[in-house]
Amino acid sequence: MAAKVRRNDTVEVTTGKDRGKRGEVRRVLPAEQRVVVAGLNMVKRHRRQRNPQEASAIITLEAPLHVSNVKVVCRSCNEAVRVGFKFLDDGRKVRVCKNCNEAID
C-alpha cells in the first residue's frame, strides 16, 4: 500500500488550532493513521522527578495529528493539494498533484 503522506513532506493543517500552518512531517504512524509535524500541535506534558538529582519539569512536545487533517503541499504549485497516483513509463508508481498533475516524488 502506497502512503499519500510520507516523512519529510511539507504539509498544511486543514482543521484545528493550527489550521493553515505548514510544517515538515517528522514521523508517520501508519497503524494509527497519524503523522507528527514539526512545530505543530504542541502539547504540554508534566515530567516526574525520577531521582533526587533530577528536577521535575513541564515540557512541550508535538502530538500526532490524524492524516485526514493534513494535506501535502505541492512543490510546483505551492498549494495544499490532494494526492493521486500514476504509473510512469518505466513502471514506477509515483504520487501526483491533483491540481497541476506534476509528480510529487
Side-chain angles (χ1 to χ4, degrees):
M1 180 182 135
K4 292 189 177 187
V5 180
R6 296 182 186 162
R7 200 167 138 230
N8 297 327
D9 280 348
T10 302
V11 293
E12 185 175 311
V13 179
T14 57
T15 58
K17 64 181 181 182
D18 291 325
R19 174 196 205 158
K21 294 182 183 175
R22 291 182 179 187
E24 191 173 296
V25 176
R26 282 202 179 163
R27 254 173 73 198
V28 178
L29 308 167
E32 295 98 33
Q33 294 183 349
R34 293 185 175 271
V35 292
V36 177
V37 183
L40 299 180
N41 200 27
M42 301 300 283
V43 294
K44 293 192 177 200
R45 292 287 178 247
H46 296 261
R47 282 291 147 112
R48 218 171 6 153
Q49 179 181 5
R50 295 180 197 268
N51 56 38
Q53 293 84 17
E54 203 175 272
S56 58
I58 299 172
I59 60 167
T60 52
L61 51 95
E62 296 128 353
L65 289 162
H66 196 269
V67 75
S68 67
N69 295 332
V70 296
K71 278 188 172 182
V72 176
V73 175
C74 177
R75 289 186 185 102
S76 59
C77 59
N78 198 26
E79 290 182 28
V81 295
R82 293 180 300 135
V83 176
F85 293 95
K86 182 168 70 171
F87 287 98
L88 298 178
D89 294 333
D90 60 356
R92 289 186 303 137
K93 185 178 183 181
V94 294
R95 297 180 297 164
V96 294
C97 170
K98 286 285 195 171
N99 283 3
C100 63
N101 214 15
E102 286 289 321
I104 293 173
D105 295 331

